[in-house]
Amino acid sequence: MPLFFLIPLFTGLATGYLSKKCNDEVAYLIGLFTIICLVLSLVLAPWQIQLVLLILIIISTNRLLR
């Protein structure tokens, strides 16, 4: 299983951490970059990980809707 999806994931997490330290408009740009990196890592993730995430989301939304 290739782990290429971890590169944008860790980049996004690192930039998200940095955006919490900034108080300027730069924080908004860094936040946007973080969201793009996290979406990219989900797209690049193997189907097994995507399936597990989908199952977790379905279970959690069913519990919240009750």
Side-chain angles (χ1 to χ4, degrees):
M1 175 181 348
L3 300 176
F4 295 120
F5 72 97
L6 292 177
I7 295 170
L9 178 67
F10 286 130
T11 305
L13 291 175
T15 55
Y17 176 74
L18 289 176
S19 71
K20 294 292 183 183
K21 301 285 183 181
C22 298
N23 293 328
D24 299 337
E25 291 84 20
V26 177
Y28 294 117
L29 293 174
I30 293 174
L32 180 66
F33 183 72
T34 302
I35 292 170
I36 290 170
C37 283
L38 293 177
V39 169
L40 182 65
S41 68
L42 285 176
V43 169
L44 294 175
W47 68 270
Q48 295 95 346
I49 294 175
Q50 291 177 351
L51 182 66
V52 168
L53 287 173
L54 180 64
I55 290 170
L56 289 174
I57 290 171
I58 290 173
I59 290 172
S60 66
T61 55
N62 283 339
R63 288 185 183 175
L64 290 174
L65 292 175
R66 287 185 189 170

